[in-house]
Amino acid sequence: MKTSTHSKLRRSMTMAAISVLGLSASLSSQAQSWPSKPVRIVVGFAPGGTTDAMARLVAQGLAESLGQSVVVDNKPGASGNIAAAEVSRATPDGYTLFISPTSVETVNPHLIKSTLLPSRDLTPVAGVGKSQMYLVTKPQSTAKDVRELVAQAKAGKMAYASAGAGTPPHLACELFKQATGTNILHVPYKGAAPALQDVLAGQADMVCDPGIAFPHIRTGKVKLLAVVSEKRSPFFPDVPTVAEQGFKGANLDIWFGMWAPNGTPAEVIARLNREVGKALASPTLKVRYADLGGENVALDTAEFKALLANEGKVLGNLIRDQKITVE
């Protein structure tokens, strides 16, 4: 009886091993001919936003270089977590990918209760671009630079608008508060556009804007005091960063990246990385990114992983220290 049980166990283990080897062989064979059918990029935000627009530009570039259709599938909800979870469950064959702001991995786990953990459940492929943050004040503001704005904030009450609790514009302004030692009231909105509208109307004093304020900056309807980034913006090279005006630590770029399901063949990940780099090098794509207030900066897999690790540490500490929560 005991021998029979052990024999059955050995047969089960052998069959399981054969199945795993069979799957590995199948994926390896598919990787050599990849892509032989359309590729799907899942995006965790609604059509029309910056993430969706960047994903469609990347998809267009990949389609041209791969010779296969690359379609974008929008699955909005839970700050990108719904789409991320779907991709994590997909067959790891290179035909289902995920594009999102890096916040899905570096911010969401600190704010959203979920069984999904992107750093564990997805494989980073490449960085696909970034947007900088811009410190914009209402048209009635008398502050000419960050030092004057900080002095005014310390002398009286001031409020900033954000795209919502836990969003990059919110975290950028919290970094600004931390760097300047100010206590500016946070007023969350449902998106960057309504937040900017109340700054335009003078209902909020300032906003850390991801680039949608460009037309209003250029026409003088709002004031751009600083770039909330380590480097000056290529779009406004004469505008100094917050650090250049005396306050270090207030810098946050919105990076966008691509992930694949765990187990995706290494040769497919490497090929995707190369093709993303080629797509982002296109002069046409550079112009299209600039229209979004973004930059067509590519990161290879190692660089992207390093970015995620560093950003997760910095923003995780910020969320904990500032006791940031979402409803």
Side-chain angles (χ1 to χ4, degrees):
M1 184 74 175
K2 188 174 181 181
T3 302
S4 176
T5 302
H6 285 173
S7 296
K8 288 180 180 179
L9 179 60
R10 282 197 298 271
R11 282 199 298 272
S12 296
M13 292 175 67
T14 300
M15 292 303 295
I18 290 171
S19 297
V20 170
L21 289 171
L23 176 60
S24 298
S26 175
L27 289 175
S28 178
S29 176
Q30 291 176 26
Q32 293 174 12
S33 60
W34 183 91
S36 59
K37 62 181 181 180
V39 175
R40 181 171 71 115
I41 295 176
V42 184
V43 174
F45 298 87
T50 301
T51 306
D52 173 73
M54 281 193 177
R56 291 180 188 279
L57 290 173
V58 172
Q60 181 182 340
L62 287 177
E64 292 173 359
S65 63
L66 294 174
Q68 280 288 348
S69 297
V70 181
V71 298
V72 173
D73 188 6
N74 299 89
K75 300 283 184 179
S79 298
N81 272 16
I82 289 176
E86 179 172 321
V87 173
S88 73
R89 296 189 296 266
T91 302
D93 54 9
Y95 291 98
T96 304
L97 306 169
F98 176 54
I99 284 183
S100 171
T102 52
S103 56
V104 75
E105 179 169 328
T106 62
V107 174
N108 287 9
H110 301 287
L111 296 175
I112 300 173
K113 290 182 180 179
S114 174
T115 57
L116 172 77
L117 187 60
S119 61
R120 177 196 64 206
D121 300 328
L122 290 166
T123 296
V125 176
V128 301
K130 71 171 184 175
S131 295
Q132 290 178 292
M133 291 285 189
Y134 301 87
L135 181 61
V136 172
T137 62
K138 64 184 180 181
Q140 299 91 341
S141 174
T142 59
K144 298 184 182 64
D145 55 31
V146 170
R147 289 186 181 87
E148 290 189 6
L149 182 70
V150 169
Q152 291 175 6
K154 290 182 176 180
K157 294 182 179 179
M158 191 174 285
Y160 76 87
S162 87
T167 62
H170 173 206
L171 299 178
C173 277
E174 287 298 317
L175 284 170
F176 176 81
K177 286 170 55 178
Q178 197 174 67
T180 58
T182 52
N183 187 27
I184 306 170
L185 177 67
H186 174 219
V187 182
Y189 290 77
K190 293 183 178 180
L196 176 61
Q197 285 302 315
D198 262 17
V199 174
L200 283 163
Q203 300 300 312
D205 295 287
M206 56 175 269
V207 65
C208 289
D209 179 81
I212 65 172
F214 281 12
H216 305 294
I217 293 169
R218 289 173 176 137
T219 57
K221 291 182 179 178
V222 291
K223 297 180 179 179
L224 173 58
L225 295 192
V227 182
V228 191
S229 177
E230 289 184 1
K231 299 179 181 179
R232 294 192 182 197
S233 167
F235 307 112
F236 302 96
D238 295 331
V239 178
T241 66
V242 175
E244 287 177 313
Q245 298 185 58
F247 304 96
K248 294 182 179 180
N251 55 74
L252 180 64
D253 295 331
I254 306 178
W255 278 94
F256 300 82
M258 176 185 287
W259 289 258
N262 287 345
T264 300
E267 52 265 48
V268 172
I269 297 290
R271 173 86 185 277
L272 273 167
N273 195 285
R274 292 194 301 271
E275 299 298 344
V276 166
K278 285 195 287 187
L280 290 177
S282 162
T284 301
L285 193 142
K286 179 177 181 178
V287 173
R288 298 284 297 280
Y289 262 54
D291 291 340
L292 301 170
E295 297 176 62
N296 58 325
V297 183
L299 296 178
D300 65 28
T301 303
E303 292 169 332
F304 188 41
K305 287 180 178 179
L307 170 75
L308 290 167
N310 181 67
E311 184 176 284
K313 181 179 180 180
V314 171
L315 297 184
N317 289 339
L318 175 72
I319 291 166
R320 185 192 66 246
D321 294 345
Q322 300 299 96
K323 296 179 174 60
I324 296 171
T325 59
V326 296
E327 295 181 359

